[in-house]
Structure formats: C-alpha cells, structure tokens
Amino acid sequence: MTGLRFDLRDPPHGAAALRAELRAFIAEHEHRWTPEVRARSWMGFDRDFTRAVGARGWIGMCWPKQYGGAERSFLERNIVLEELLAAGAPVGAHWIGDRQSGPLILRLGTDAQRAKFLPGIARGDLAFCIGLSEPDSGSDLASLRTRADRTDTGWLLNGRKIWTTFGHLCDWMIALVRTSPAPEGGSRHQGLSQVLVDLRAPGVTIRPIRDLVGEEGFNEITFDDVRLPPDALVGTEGAGWAQATSELAFERSGPDRYMSSHPLLEAGMAALRDDPATAPALGREVARLWTLRAMSTAIAGMLQDGADPVRQAALVKDLGNDFEQALPGAMRALRDVDDMPEPMRRMHAYLTQITPTFSLRGGTREIMRGIIARELGLR
C-alpha cells in the first residue's frame, strides 16, 4: 500500500497576522449574515462579498501576479478558507473558480486563456461552475453523452448537464464532454475532453432545480447546437478524464469538506460553555475536527509540493462528510432544540435539512470508497 501518508505541516510564516487580518475583515461584513446564511456558508452566492474578498487578494492567491494572483502558498490559502468557512461567509460566487477552474486553467490552459480568465476570477468578477453529471449517467461519469464536434469554425456542443451548482448565476462552465468515440474494446475514459462554455451563449438553456429547502442552487443545463470557438478546448483533446479527476483533488480535500456545519459547532460551544456535563462530548467533536484539519492541511502541503493527492483527498472527503453530517445530531443530543438560542436553533434547523446532500456533492460516498479501496488493493 502506498500513497496514504499525511505528513503534518507547520503553519506558514505570518499565519497569525493573516488570521488577524481576515477576522477584522469578516467583522466588517458578518452583521449582514443571518443564521441561515451562515449555515449555508460556501453554498451562499454573494457577488459583492466575493468582490470584496478579491480586492483583498484572497482569491487566486497562489497564482502568479501576472494573472491577478498574489504568489502566496497553499498553506496560506488554507488559512483564508478556514477563516471564511468558520464564520459561515457566503463565498459561493468565487469558490469553484478559486478552487478548481482557475487552477485548471493555470495548469493546462493556453497563455491566452490564462490572460482572459484568471484576472477576472481573482477580482471576483467571473464566476465558474463545473459540468460533470448528466441525467442518464448517475455516478458512471464515463458514460456521459454530451458531445463537442469539430466544425470549420470551432466546436458544436450538444447535450445536457445536471446538478450544476449555481449554473444560473455563473458566467462560465468547464464541461467534460465527448469529442471522439471511445475505442472499440478500449476504455470509455478515452475520447473525453474539457471545454469552456459561455453560459450566455445562444443555445444554452438553464433550468434551476428547487431543492428540499425550497432553494435553487442546482441546475439542469441543456446545450442545443451551441457554437464554441476553436480555443474553447482546455488542455489536451481526449485527455479530459485524467484532467478532471486530477482537478478533483482540489475539490475533495479542502476545509469545505468538513467545515460545512462548523458555525453550528461554534454556536453550540458558546451555548454550552457553562455546562460541564457536555464538555466530554464537545471535546470529542473538536478532536475529530482537529484531526480532519491536520489531514486537510497535509494535503495543502502536498499540493504546494506539486503532488497529486487524489486518494488522500477521497479519504478526507469521506471522513469529513461523516463529521459534518453528524454534527446537527450531536448538538441536538446535548441541548434540546427548544432550549437552543434562536440563532443556533435556526442554524440547526437549516443544517438538519441539507446535511444529507453533503456526501453527494463532489462525488458520492461510494465513489470515494472505491478510490480508497483501489489504493488499499481491495478491488
């Protein structure tokens, strides 16, 4: 067995000063956030707040300065993510661009693509979404049917994506599509490519999907003869599967995979601070949080070193989802809902409804455990 090490990392130089700067910034904005906004956290979409974050240099902060970045480390970026999530800040307008789309374009895009998109993401002006899931594919992503066919002027896109987070609010999508048939008897992963899609282009139809709490964060997006320019291709034609799965290490390892319920934990600690009988149970929750944090920080260090920690990221996501999904029940076991302070009760009510979805986004539990099992030699 190889590849499942999590080497502990020391805080980067200047970590305390960066945290202090972030907390002062958050204090200027948090009075506008209701308990529901804080509970929603990185699933909250607020362009104005995102632009304020961008103005401080905290979006794309590991990217080269020539593309709008700040040339800081992954470990410093992790501090920014932790502080924003701990406060329940509405960061959804830049989360995907900062976490996945921007790094992908920086790593595999052309110079023209980097110059066109990265500064806009870093300012908070361009919001990206990811086009992976399709209505008839389920978790079998390699069976996707959306196609981009070459034409004399570029590409012609047809097909449908679903469960696209904030597709109705975003400007661009990076979609995984088929650009050539899978070879007969060969892997279905061959012939897939990633393309940039302007979500306001003719032929793009976006239909929001109302979820069980009455919100419309997910979408079904249909492409009918959408004409893409020749430079819509990201990376290498036919290598989209490897590119997309590598990109998922950024998605599955960050603090957002174990801190989605964090504002409720903080509210619970404040409400229960004078009840010593609850201290052991609260201590166990904090210990789980701290372990996940050490694992996630170790992965940030691996990314800083240029490694590709796909398997470690799958483990953090699986364990992290367990933690954040169980937290509302853990708080309810310590304090009756009717006795919770109002902000805590409202956060608890919202999170109780949405926590079942946490293990679906970014790959289901079955997918994560399949990746881990392969590493352990069990499949």
Side-chain angles (χ1 to χ4, degrees):
M1 183 180 72
T2 60
L4 282 177
R5 289 181 55 85
F6 290 87
D7 294 324
L8 298 180
R9 300 283 179 147
D10 293 327
H13 176 72
L18 179 56
R19 285 194 191 279
E21 185 182 357
L22 278 153
R23 290 175 186 181
F25 170 78
I26 289 167
E28 296 173 5
H29 296 270
E30 63 183 352
H31 65 279
R32 299 189 292 115
W33 305 336
T34 65
E36 289 78 14
V37 168
R38 295 191 64 205
R40 198 178 297 124
S41 188
W42 63 279
M43 289 296 290
F45 196 100
D46 184 335
R47 289 260 195 183
D48 290 339
F49 180 71
T50 276
R51 289 191 174 106
V53 175
R56 303 297 289 263
W58 292 329
I59 303 175
M61 61 188 294
C62 304
W63 306 346
K65 292 181 179 177
Q66 72 181 103
Y67 298 125
E71 299 184 0
R72 301 183 78 165
S73 71
F74 277 90
L75 294 171
E76 290 175 294
R77 177 178 177 271
N78 233 38
I79 290 172
V80 173
L81 305 186
E82 285 181 341
E83 293 296 332
L84 292 174
L85 293 173
V91 293
H94 67 268
W95 207 247
I96 302 298
D98 179 60
R99 183 182 68 183
Q100 287 175 251
S101 304
L104 179 75
I105 293 170
L106 179 63
R107 187 162 55 95
L108 299 172
T110 63
D111 285 342
Q113 288 171 338
R114 294 173 187 139
K116 178 176 181 179
F117 294 110
L118 296 183
I121 296 174
R123 289 193 303 271
D125 290 336
L126 292 181
F128 271 70
C129 61
I130 302 296
L132 292 176
S133 299
E134 297 193 1
D136 300 321
S137 295
S139 294
D140 183 15
L141 195 56
S143 66
L144 62 81
R145 298 178 179 175
T146 299
R147 295 186 53 84
D149 298 305
R150 278 193 181 276
T151 68
D152 292 340
T153 58
W155 303 87
L156 191 65
L157 180 66
N158 282 284
R160 196 158 41 133
K161 295 291 181 182
I162 198 167
W163 308 124
T164 308
T165 304
F166 295 137
H168 60 310
L169 299 174
C170 288
D171 307 294
W172 290 84
M173 168 191 283
I174 294 182
L176 183 67
V177 302
R178 186 160 291 285
T179 50
S180 62
E184 189 172 345
S187 170
R188 291 179 303 154
H189 298 157
Q190 298 181 41
L192 299 175
S193 303
Q194 289 180 292
V195 293
L196 286 153
V197 183
D198 181 348
L199 292 176
R200 296 180 179 83
V204 177
T205 303
I206 302 177
R207 185 177 69 84
I209 300 171
R210 182 160 296 185
D211 61 25
L212 53 79
V213 293
E215 297 176 342
E216 296 179 340
F218 299 115
N219 295 267
E220 181 180 59
I221 303 182
T222 304
F223 310 108
D224 292 309
D225 289 336
V226 178
R227 297 188 178 280
L228 305 180
D231 61 356
L233 181 71
V234 181
T236 303
E237 183 178 350
W241 179 264
Q243 293 176 192
T245 52
S246 176
E247 174 189 346
L248 291 175
F250 293 96
E251 178 180 356
R252 293 171 175 163
S253 64
D256 41 328
R257 295 309 179 189
Y258 60 89
M259 291 185 69
S260 300
S261 302
H262 187 87
L264 179 63
L265 177 60
E266 285 204 347
M269 294 181 69
L272 298 166
R273 67 177 56 180
D274 296 326
D275 184 354
T278 63
L282 280 175
R284 282 192 290 273
E285 298 302 327
V286 173
R288 292 179 69 187
L289 170 69
W290 222 243
T291 301
L292 288 162
R293 179 176 184 270
M295 296 170 71
S296 176
T297 305
I299 293 178
M302 295 179 209
L303 294 171
Q304 178 71 34
D305 295 340
D308 191 14
V310 173
R311 298 170 183 82
Q312 292 90 338
L315 185 59
V316 168
K317 181 180 183 302
D318 190 38
L319 296 175
N321 286 162
D322 277 348
F323 172 71
E324 59 188 14
Q325 284 182 323
L327 207 49
M331 292 299 105
R332 191 166 57 248
L334 296 174
R335 174 64 61 91
D336 187 87
V337 172
D338 291 338
D339 294 332
M340 292 179 181
E342 183 187 346
M344 181 181 178
R345 185 169 63 250
R346 288 168 61 182
M347 277 191 274
H348 176 271
Y350 186 89
L351 285 166
T352 297
Q353 294 179 83
I354 67 167
T355 50
T357 69
F358 290 178
S359 54
L360 300 177
R361 55 197 191 190
T364 64
R365 195 180 300 281
E366 289 74 17
I367 292 173
M368 296 305 105
R369 294 182 178 178
I371 293 171
I372 297 165
R374 275 200 303 274
E375 175 61 21
L376 296 174
L378 300 176
R379 58 175 296 197

